[in-house]
Amino acid sequence: MRHLVSVATALVACAVPGAVHAQTRCTETTRFDPPLRVLRCTDGLSLESEQAADLRPVDRDRDGHLEGAEIGGRAVLVTLPPRSRPRRGGFQILTPHAIASVRGTVYAVDVTAAKTAVFVARGRVAVARRNVPAVSVTLSPGEGVDVDADQAPLEVRRWPQERVRGLLERFGR
């Protein structure tokens, strides 16, 4: 795996990207190989999303630190160093199917119309169905979970190397 690039995003209604960055202390850059939108925040949070991803940063209290991000499709790689400023309630990625909450980790979230897949490279991530946030599973490094519209219990699995490689290659890893 290549060295992870830190990226960050702010979840705000971002009609004017410059305003978002001023409020959140985040900067956005573009990578071309592979094509990624990279958001880096001064507190160490980074978000790398595929260029076609529908990613919206969230800074509800407008204190300049993101509480999470909402993604409607495609994939995002989240890097949240343990030394970063603690966030009340942790950092969350919200998808149509799932909520992935975390501190001090590196994980990827891949969203399609049918499901959300969450994989943890480092740290631990709690994942719950969006419509039942009180019932969650916790993923450790090398583990993933697929969340769809089915209401069956979430099943944590160790992902095969081929699946991990396929997801992380989308971020140049």
Side-chain angles (χ1 to χ4, degrees):
M1 220 189 304
R2 294 182 193 168
H3 181 72
L4 292 173
V5 177
S6 295
V7 274
T9 313
L11 284 170
V12 206
C14 47
V16 181
V20 170
H21 301 309
Q23 293 173 0
T24 63
R25 298 181 218 142
C26 299
T27 58
E28 183 176 315
T29 59
T30 301
R31 279 187 35 198
F32 297 101
D33 187 23
L36 299 172
R37 172 184 168 202
V38 178
L39 194 65
R40 300 176 200 269
C41 298
T42 58
D43 65 356
L45 171 68
S46 68
L47 298 173
E48 296 176 58
S49 61
E50 294 176 302
Q51 290 222 343
D54 178 20
L55 184 71
R56 293 172 303 282
V58 175
D59 180 10
R60 290 183 188 96
D61 60 7
R62 298 178 188 254
D63 68 350
H65 299 280
L66 300 180
E67 289 88 32
E70 190 159 351
I71 185 165
R74 306 293 297 185
V76 61
L77 181 70
V78 179
T79 303
L80 184 59
R83 68 187 179 285
S84 66
R85 177 180 176 260
R87 291 160 168 78
R88 275 188 306 269
F91 182 83
Q92 296 183 328
I93 293 291
L94 303 160
T95 78
H97 312 101
I99 302 170
S101 302
V102 64
R103 285 185 195 207
T105 193
V106 176
Y107 67 108
V109 179
D110 187 14
V111 182
T112 66
K115 70 177 181 180
T116 295
V118 180
F119 172 76
V120 176
R122 184 175 63 226
R124 295 171 55 93
V125 175
V127 179
R129 290 187 187 283
R130 184 101 185 234
N131 60 351
V132 189
V135 180
S136 67
V137 296
T138 301
L139 305 177
S140 296
E143 295 178 335
V145 66
D146 294 308
V147 183
D148 57 19
D150 183 15
Q151 294 304 307
L154 297 176
E155 190 173 335
V156 175
R157 295 183 180 193
R158 180 150 299 280
W159 277 19
Q161 282 299 332
E162 302 79 39
R163 187 171 183 191
V164 172
R165 189 174 14 261
L167 178 59
L168 295 181
E169 280 178 353
R170 292 162 62 184
F171 298 98
R173 307 289 189 280

